[in-house]
Amino acid sequence: MGTANEDAVHVSPTGVIVLDGLSAPKDLPMGCIHGTSWYVRQLGTRLINLIGDDTVPLREALRSAISEVNSLHRGTCALDQEAVPASTVVMIRERGDVLDYLVLSDNVLVLDLGDEGIQTITDKRVEEVASEEMEAALEGPTGTPEHAARVSALVTVQRRLRNRPGGYWVAATNPTAADEAITGTIPLEQVQQAALLTDGASRLVDSFGVLTWSQLLNVLRSEGPSALIARTREAELADPVGERWPRFKRSDDATVAYMTAGQPVQMPSDVQ
């Protein structure tokens, strides 16, 4: 606790955006003087404004938002370096009688489509690169200098593979990363409920395996997003060194935006 929250959530009458800034180990260089939390706030503010115009495709909105943030700190920061702030993105937008969505990197969009079942959309390309370094970084115990060094080694390799063919894609300084986002459109009447989660909030399902996506939605519907985050923290505390559930951090920032048809969006966030 006590560190800056590198997640962000933005809501408008027709759109929801959840961002998860990529943590930068303190022992590695950073070409931006502002930091990841600043970048995430600036990107999210511009995105929520841009997607308010439903004639603007979501990829185009993301492309424009990245370019606009670049213009804010091009004169003060080394944006041509690998070591720049970056963020995952998941967003939805109501447009008439349809729901548009965009996912870039490993945030998760969970959609309850009624009789068609539950659909999850995420972009796991980051897990397909630097496999040797990733395996080493998952070795416990977490919280030790040795573990921190292995995580830094992983991030060093990942930075070289970020936003290039054969690597993985996130929102950073390259606007063309938006072209790599997963996008789609679904009839709005099919969507019974939806959840937008950072990976710190989805881990009870996709990392720990203690809930299914259906059970996760049930928790959100019956108890609210705060209860999901509380359950996540309980599981993490029960395995503090990552022996049962290997991971890069004991706990991670966790943010959830949850909506049901015709109801306001609920958006708890918890920082670790």
Side-chain angles (χ1 to χ4, degrees):
M1 297 292 289
T3 59
N5 191 345
E6 295 175 338
D7 289 356
V9 57
H10 298 264
V11 176
S12 74
T14 58
V16 184
I17 298 168
V18 170
L19 306 170
D20 182 359
L22 276 62
S23 297
K26 294 181 179 180
D27 62 316
L28 296 184
M30 171 57 72
C32 172
I33 63 174
H34 302 95
T36 300
S37 296
W38 175 89
Y39 178 81
V40 168
R41 290 194 303 271
Q42 299 299 330
L43 184 69
T45 298
R46 281 151 184 81
L47 270 175
I48 199 67
N49 289 329
L50 287 162
I51 69 172
D53 180 352
D54 63 14
T55 67
V56 177
L58 297 185
R59 280 179 176 158
E60 182 178 331
L62 180 55
R63 208 162 32 239
S64 297
I66 292 171
S67 295
E68 289 180 14
V69 177
N70 284 347
S71 69
L72 293 178
H73 63 143
R74 182 175 287 111
T76 57
C77 303
L79 303 189
D80 58 341
Q81 295 186 11
E82 296 171 350
V84 292
S87 179
T88 67
V89 183
V90 56
M91 55 180 163
I92 58 175
R93 176 182 62 189
E94 293 183 12
R95 179 172 54 88
D97 58 358
V98 299
L99 184 78
D100 299 324
Y101 65 80
L102 178 147
V103 179
L104 183 65
S105 201
D106 58 358
N107 284 358
V108 183
L109 173 61
V110 186
L111 298 170
D112 178 359
L113 302 180
D115 293 340
E116 294 191 16
I118 294 172
Q119 180 179 358
T120 60
I121 301 112
T122 188
D123 173 6
K124 294 292 189 180
R125 279 175 287 186
V126 67
E127 297 181 2
E128 299 170 3
V129 301
S131 57
E132 182 177 334
E133 290 82 4
M134 186 170 294
E135 183 177 349
L138 287 171
E139 293 179 5
T142 60
T144 64
E146 294 78 13
H147 181 263
R150 292 194 295 269
V151 171
S152 292
L154 170 63
V155 173
T156 298
V157 175
Q158 287 178 331
R159 283 177 169 179
R160 295 199 295 265
L161 299 170
R162 187 180 296 170
N163 289 351
R164 61 186 59 197
Y168 68 105
W169 301 84
V170 293
T173 57
N174 184 352
T176 63
D179 300 330
E180 298 291 329
I182 300 169
T183 59
T185 299
I186 299 172
L188 193 57
E189 65 180 9
Q190 291 186 13
V191 182
Q192 306 300 305
Q193 51 185 335
L196 297 78
L197 307 106
T198 63
D199 63 349
S202 66
R203 57 176 34 178
L204 284 182
V205 179
D206 54 17
S207 295
F208 296 177
V210 299
L211 293 178
T212 64
W213 292 118
S214 178
Q215 289 169 334
L216 179 144
L217 288 176
N218 287 340
V219 171
L220 293 175
R221 182 175 57 250
S222 61
E223 303 177 53
S226 294
L228 176 67
I229 293 175
R231 291 192 185 195
T232 303
R233 299 308 181 212
E234 289 173 3
E236 292 166 345
L237 286 172
D239 180 41
V241 298
E243 181 177 4
R244 180 178 181 185
W245 299 305
R247 52 198 189 271
F248 305 128
K249 302 177 183 178
R250 289 178 177 175
S251 294
D252 197 3
D253 297 345
T255 297
V256 184
Y258 172 72
M259 59 172 289
T260 56
Q263 298 296 318
V265 178
Q266 303 176 54
M267 343 169 269
S269 179
D270 188 33
V271 57
Q272 290 292 318

